[in-house]
Amino acid sequence: MSQQHSSPPATVTVFASPTSWIESDAVAQCHQVAALDGMTHVAAMPDLHPGKGAPIGAAMASTVLYPFLVGSDIGCGIAVFPVKLKRAVPEKLAARFPDLDRALNPERDADDPAWAVLKGDVPAGHVEGLGTVGRGNHFVELARIGTILDAAHASRLGLDAGDLVLVVHSGSRGLGERILRAHTEVHGAGPAPDPAAYLAAHDDAVRWGSLNRRLLAARVAYALGFEPAEPIVDQCHNLVELRDGSYLHRKGAAPGDGRDVLIAGTRGTPSYLVAAHAGPDAGHSVAHGAGRKMSRSDALRRGRAKHTVEELRRTPVGSLVVCGDRQLLFEEAPTAYKRIEQVIADLVDHALATPIATTIPLVTYKTPENHGKRGRR
């Protein structure tokens, strides 16, 4: 990383309580980023954890645009769709989820009803991977609204306790990766020499990610027997925007300036819908999830010593996990994450968000049951 010598490093603020689990490596990464040329402020969220070269769970403001601070999954985000189903029996519904590793092909699958959500052209003409969920922490989850925590906000979103929703967490798949690679092959972790050109490609990836979440929701809707609906929430948490004359990079941080955001727990805990009202100190951002507290390798090692595969397929809240990749089951175990309740409490304590309602998982889809060991599409 190029260091800034002409002026002091940017300020770093961590929005977490002293009792919250924040790794020193992640805070160190925030300070490394703060020392980059042009950086003015780094706001770390309570789900902060170390990433590849840059922290995850941070909003980073700079007069210089750094593509690596957004990463390769540009446009990754979480959308929430209302679901109208008479009865939701997790065992029956889990068996009916479609194969969301199999991409929708515009020619082969031309008659698939999910295409109705596509208005206009596919962004950047990128048809590879359309309608797929991806790996890592991405998921599609059928959930029910648990506790209503703010009746006025819940009513505004049209939500009641017991309602069903579909939560979709996915991004721009290979498109964002291609955009970052094109930059890093020439400039490494350096700034974008032509910010406008990067932003044009980036904006395509953000639109693509949003379209992909809608396609995923529509595929699941038709497979489970309900009509697709417009999302009530759709916020991207890997992006950069021009704000107040500087570039605000978000890596695992959701826009928190008057937006509704779903902050993901784990497949074995509630998630939280919140009304976000974060100001400039917090980079106009809120957390995007519980945040990892174990690396994937640690989660795999510890999980195998502690859990059976069968235990991980049925969660503490009684929901089912559809995941044919055993390694992914362990890597994404609920114990690999921080406590979502603490993350939400930190946001409330710092006046960044108002909790609206919890969502309780019924079926969490990661990858098809009959999927091979580690294949990627």
Side-chain angles (χ1 to χ4, degrees):
M1 294 183 183
S2 65
Q3 298 293 310
Q4 174 177 315
H5 300 293
S6 53
S7 57
T11 48
V12 175
T13 308
V14 181
F15 290 86
S17 70
T19 55
S20 295
W21 175 295
I22 303 282
E23 284 170 84
S24 55
D25 285 0
V27 177
Q29 279 190 333
C30 288
H31 286 282
Q32 286 170 343
V33 167
L36 290 168
D37 288 334
M39 293 303 298
T40 53
H41 184 54
V42 176
M45 297 295 119
D47 60 336
L48 183 76
H49 55 286
K52 288 177 187 167
I56 299 167
M60 300 155 278
S62 173
T63 56
V64 176
L65 174 51
Y66 291 99
F68 91 101
L69 292 182
V70 178
S72 62
D73 200 5
I74 305 162
C76 183
I78 295 180
V80 181
F81 300 81
V83 168
K84 293 280 184 277
L85 268 177
K86 285 197 170 62
R87 286 187 69 229
V89 181
E91 289 77 6
K92 288 185 177 172
L93 295 172
R96 289 169 59 184
F97 264 73
D99 179 352
L100 301 177
D101 276 8
R102 178 186 177 276
L104 281 177
N105 182 294
E107 290 169 13
R108 182 192 63 214
D109 305 309
D111 58 350
D112 193 303
W115 288 116
V117 303
L118 173 62
K119 309 284 188 263
D121 296 330
V122 175
H126 186 80
V127 295
E128 293 162 44
L130 269 173
T132 60
V133 67
R135 281 291 186 275
N137 62 351
H138 293 162
F139 63 86
V140 177
E141 183 170 274
L142 184 69
R144 64 178 170 80
I145 300 296
T147 311
I148 299 290
L149 302 164
D150 188 294
H153 280 302
S155 164
R156 176 174 59 78
L157 288 170
L159 295 173
D160 284 312
D163 284 356
L164 298 179
V165 291
L166 194 69
V167 180
V168 180
H169 178 199
S170 190
S172 58
R173 309 294 286 112
L175 178 58
E177 207 173 327
R178 194 175 78 188
I179 292 165
L180 182 66
R181 197 182 313 121
H183 172 82
T184 54
E185 280 174 355
V186 184
H187 308 286
D194 182 350
Y198 171 80
L199 283 172
H202 160 284
D203 291 352
D204 276 342
V206 169
R207 281 192 293 272
W208 200 100
S210 185
L211 166 64
N212 199 44
R213 290 188 283 281
R214 283 166 167 77
L215 280 170
L216 284 161
R219 293 183 79 179
V220 172
Y222 288 118
L224 268 51
F226 62 91
E227 277 297 309
E230 281 293 303
I232 53 172
V233 169
D234 185 15
Q235 291 302 334
C236 164
H237 48 236
N238 286 358
L239 76 164
V240 61
E241 63 178 39
L242 259 173
R243 179 150 201 155
D244 305 325
S246 68
Y247 298 104
L248 179 59
H249 311 74
R250 292 188 177 99
K251 179 78 179 283
D257 45 355
R259 324 278 185 102
D260 298 309
V261 178
L262 187 285
I263 301 179
T266 72
R267 62 190 185 216
T269 60
S271 294
Y272 282 76
L273 267 167
V274 306
H277 35 76
D281 284 357
H284 306 280
S285 303
V286 291
H288 78 312
R292 293 193 76 91
K293 71 174 182 186
M294 280 183 217
S295 68
R296 292 188 178 279
S297 56
D298 276 354
L300 191 59
R301 183 173 49 78
R302 293 185 194 185
R304 280 181 169 154
K306 200 170 165 186
H307 304 291
T308 64
V309 166
E310 285 63 39
E311 283 171 349
L312 292 176
R313 289 186 195 280
R314 172 75 73 172
T315 76
V317 294
S319 63
L320 294 178
V321 180
V322 179
C323 182
D325 184 333
R326 290 176 171 228
Q327 185 172 328
L328 192 62
L329 261 178
F330 287 108
E331 288 175 352
E332 288 292 310
T335 48
Y337 285 83
K338 305 180 194 201
R339 285 185 62 247
I340 184 64
E341 292 80 8
Q342 183 64 58
V343 170
I344 299 299
D346 286 351
L347 294 175
V348 171
D349 288 349
H350 288 92
L352 303 185
T354 299
I356 300 172
T358 59
T359 67
I360 313 296
L362 295 173
V363 179
T364 305
Y365 175 101
K366 300 290 287 181
T367 183
E369 288 292 2
N370 60 357
H371 199 274
K373 253 195 89 114
R374 204 66 188 145
R376 289 175 184 269
R377 302 276 161 97

